[in-house]
Amino acid sequence: MPKLFSRSSTPRRPGRVSARVRILGWLLLLTVLTLLFVGVLVRTILLENVDTDTNAALTQETEEFGEFARTGIDPATGRKFDNVAELFEVYLSRQVPDEDEILLGVDNARSEFPFYKAEARPPYAVQDDAGLLAGVNASASSWGNTGTPAGEMRWAKVPVTSTNGSSGHLLIGYFTQPARDEVASIMTTAAWAALLALLLIAGVGWVVAGQILAPVRTVRKAAAEISAHDLTQRIPVQRRDDIGELAETFNSMLDRLDDAFATQRQFLDDAGHELRTPITIVQGHLDVMGDDPADRDETLRLVTDELARMTRMVDDLLLLAKARRPDFVRPGPVALADLTSDIYRKVEQLGNRSWSVDSTSTDIVRVDAQRVTQALVQLAHNAVRHTRDGDRIELGSAVDDHVVTFWVADTGSGVSPADAEKIWERFSRGSGYTGEGAGLGLAIVKAIAEAHGGRAILMDKQGAGSTFGIELPR
């Protein structure tokens, strides 16, 4: 018999990427894309915050100085400032600029030293860069950006005029590059952390993917080792997830295959064993057949009878082999009373007996009417073989909430306790049976009942007849 599976039937193609590697690859790709997206989003938000905070600081500083200039009173003396130089000096002496901030007061009347600064060590000494200041001072705008060796400086100018007519403006500058460098430092740290997380995810993902796919590898190895001669291996199911269901499904498939091969082997064994005798009889009679016409006619009659018996036996064996197939029975809605009546009309011609219908029901049940008829006809044949002319044989059917029951009762000699179990097996005959049957009739009845999900039953009263039947799920 050819092997169902073999190692060579599922060769591993060169260069094929395993499911474990593919799962890990997709996981890492998704993680990298997610980290990149989050990194870009966070960087953008942080840089926008730098711009927002710088603009807010400039606005706050301009409002504070504008309010101070409008008041025009020295908080220490309570008198008004005489000129903008004095105003700048007092205001700047009271300020504590931020780390990246500069404050410069420009007095238009003092060209020789026009600037007052409040930040002792700014990122860049703007007050010493005459060209940069000239460009900012000459700008007609109150806000702007300008480049410096220390990076971009965002600035704002607030004009002011004193009571004596002197004028000038306060220059407020913020260097944004330090804040941007801090964002870059944060993103660098986050990138290293993301790399470490990626390595950790890769390691954990490799281990977890291996554990998840372990039953799949077991299934593959089992499939490669199983043959038609050894279907006993099963995969231990220790999980309650999709992989566990896969293992259970594979085990169920092996159960069905094992059952199919067992049925096949049993069919071959039964056929080989039971057909050997009629073949021997046929061959023996043909070997000794003479030229006498009467002898030839008798031999042909015996041979034809044996061949007919062999045909019936093969048909019964084939039926039993098909009984394991899922499509052996095809249940459908059936009126129980009509089905019982039809079976009665078919079996009452089997022998000269007192036939009757014991009871039935008007319910609608779901069974395979043809298979049920086949089983009841077999039971009726069996009852005829074990009764005499004029004996009573009753058919009946009943139904309750869960079970549909069909039966055939006779008034024959009954079944001995020793035969009650074995008579349902193939080629088994009761101890008192002397007929010519192959002993497959009750086995067929049992197979039909079990194919419905039910069972065959025997209610025997030895010496007072027997009742054979089947119980099927409603």
Side-chain angles (χ1 to χ4, degrees):
M1 186 178 296
K3 289 187 176 182
L4 180 64
F5 299 106
S6 66
R7 293 184 183 275
S8 60
S9 62
T10 55
R12 190 179 182 89
R13 294 190 298 272
R16 186 178 67 177
V17 180
S18 67
R20 188 179 189 181
V21 173
R22 291 200 302 271
I23 291 174
L24 184 61
W26 281 107
L27 176 64
L28 293 179
L29 177 61
L30 180 60
T31 303
V32 168
L33 293 177
T34 302
L35 290 175
L36 286 175
F37 173 77
V38 172
V40 171
L41 181 62
V42 170
R43 181 177 180 274
T44 302
I45 293 174
L46 290 177
L47 291 177
E48 287 180 353
N49 288 340
V50 170
D51 293 337
T52 301
D53 292 343
T54 300
N55 292 335
L58 286 172
T59 301
Q60 179 183 355
E61 200 67 51
T62 57
E63 290 176 352
E64 289 181 0
F65 178 73
E67 182 63 27
F68 185 83
R70 281 192 298 272
T71 303
I73 298 175
D74 187 346
T77 62
R79 63 180 182 82
K80 287 184 175 295
F81 293 109
D82 294 331
N83 54 65
V84 294
E86 186 180 356
L87 183 147
F88 288 144
E89 186 175 7
V90 173
Y91 179 79
L92 293 177
S93 65
R94 300 170 61 88
Q95 299 301 307
V96 181
D98 294 337
E99 183 179 356
D100 304 323
E101 180 186 14
I102 64 166
L103 298 172
L104 297 175
V106 180
D107 183 355
N108 295 333
R110 298 183 61 180
S111 58
E112 72 281 359
F113 188 66
F115 307 106
Y116 295 87
K117 65 185 179 67
E119 171 58 64
R121 300 180 64 183
Y124 176 65
V126 176
Q127 70 278 4
D128 297 332
D129 192 335
L132 184 150
L133 290 175
V136 173
N137 292 333
S139 175
S141 175
S142 299
W143 296 74
N145 298 320
T146 187
T148 73
E152 179 193 59
M153 183 184 76
R154 193 166 299 179
W155 54 265
K157 294 189 301 184
V158 184
V160 62
T161 302
S162 68
T163 55
N164 66 354
S166 61
S167 64
H169 60 264
L170 178 69
L171 177 62
I172 308 164
Y174 268 90
F175 292 91
T176 60
Q177 190 59 43
R180 294 179 184 274
D181 291 341
E182 185 177 354
V183 170
S185 177
I186 292 174
M187 297 308 301
T188 300
T189 303
W192 282 108
L195 179 60
L196 292 177
L198 195 64
L199 293 176
L200 179 62
I201 291 172
V204 174
W206 180 262
V207 174
V208 172
Q211 292 177 347
I212 292 176
L213 294 175
V216 177
R217 292 195 299 271
T218 304
V219 170
R220 181 180 60 80
K221 292 178 181 178
E225 295 173 359
I226 292 171
S227 69
H229 299 284
D230 182 17
L231 295 172
T232 59
Q233 295 190 45
R234 295 295 182 270
I235 300 171
V237 180
Q238 300 175 348
R239 311 166 65 102
R240 287 293 177 264
D241 54 13
D242 293 341
I243 302 299
E245 291 181 2
L246 172 63
E248 290 180 348
T249 302
F250 188 79
N251 287 339
S252 299
M253 181 193 70
L254 291 180
D255 290 338
R256 293 191 297 271
L257 288 175
D258 193 14
D259 187 60
F261 277 102
T263 301
Q264 184 185 43
R265 285 192 293 269
Q266 186 175 25
F267 173 80
L268 295 175
D269 292 342
D270 292 342
H273 179 269
E274 295 297 326
L275 294 179
R276 186 176 295 110
T277 299
I279 290 175
T280 302
I281 294 174
V282 170
Q283 184 176 3
H285 280 84
L286 291 177
D287 288 342
V288 300
M289 183 177 62
D291 295 331
D292 182 58
D295 181 54
R296 291 172 64 90
D297 291 342
E298 179 63 18
T299 300
L300 289 175
R301 186 186 65 79
L302 291 174
V303 168
T304 302
D305 184 64
E306 287 299 313
L307 290 176
R309 189 163 71 92
M310 290 170 60
T311 300
R312 290 193 302 271
M313 190 182 304
V314 170
D315 290 341
D316 289 344
L317 288 174
L318 288 173
L319 179 64
L320 288 171
K322 293 178 181 178
R324 301 294 183 91
R325 290 168 45 175
D327 60 347
F328 178 67
V329 295
R330 299 177 180 178
V334 179
L336 190 58
D338 294 342
L339 178 59
T340 305
S341 177
D342 292 343
I343 295 174
Y344 172 77
R345 286 195 294 269
K346 293 176 182 178
V347 301
E348 66 177 345
Q349 304 300 323
L350 296 178
N352 185 20
R353 304 293 188 268
S354 177
W355 298 92
S356 63
V357 175
D358 184 7
S359 64
T360 187
S361 169
T362 59
D363 288 75
I364 302 296
V365 297
R366 188 174 181 82
V367 297
D368 188 326
Q370 293 184 358
R371 295 301 183 192
V372 170
T373 300
Q374 190 174 14
L376 269 293
V377 170
Q378 287 282 1
L379 293 179
H381 268 295
N382 189 67
V384 170
R385 293 192 188 102
H386 291 82
T387 54
R388 298 187 296 268
D389 289 351
D391 285 351
R392 188 175 77 255
I393 299 178
E394 296 178 343
L395 272 73
S397 60
V399 63
D400 60 21
D401 292 340
H402 304 290
V403 177
V404 184
T405 305
F406 298 89
W407 68 85
V408 175
D410 63 64
T411 55
S413 57
V415 180
S416 67
D419 295 336
E421 292 296 331
K422 70 177 185 178
I423 58 174
W424 298 104
E425 304 302 324
R426 302 181 185 197
F427 305 108
S428 177
R429 303 173 180 86
S431 57
Y433 181 66
T434 59
E436 298 181 353
L440 293 174
L442 293 181
I444 292 174
V445 173
K446 179 182 178 183
I448 292 174
E450 291 178 347
H452 277 84
R455 66 189 184 100
I457 57 174
L458 167 61
M459 295 173 285
D460 182 64
K461 297 180 181 179
Q462 192 170 0
S466 300
T467 300
F468 290 83
I470 55 175
E471 290 182 349
L472 311 180
R474 180 172 182 176

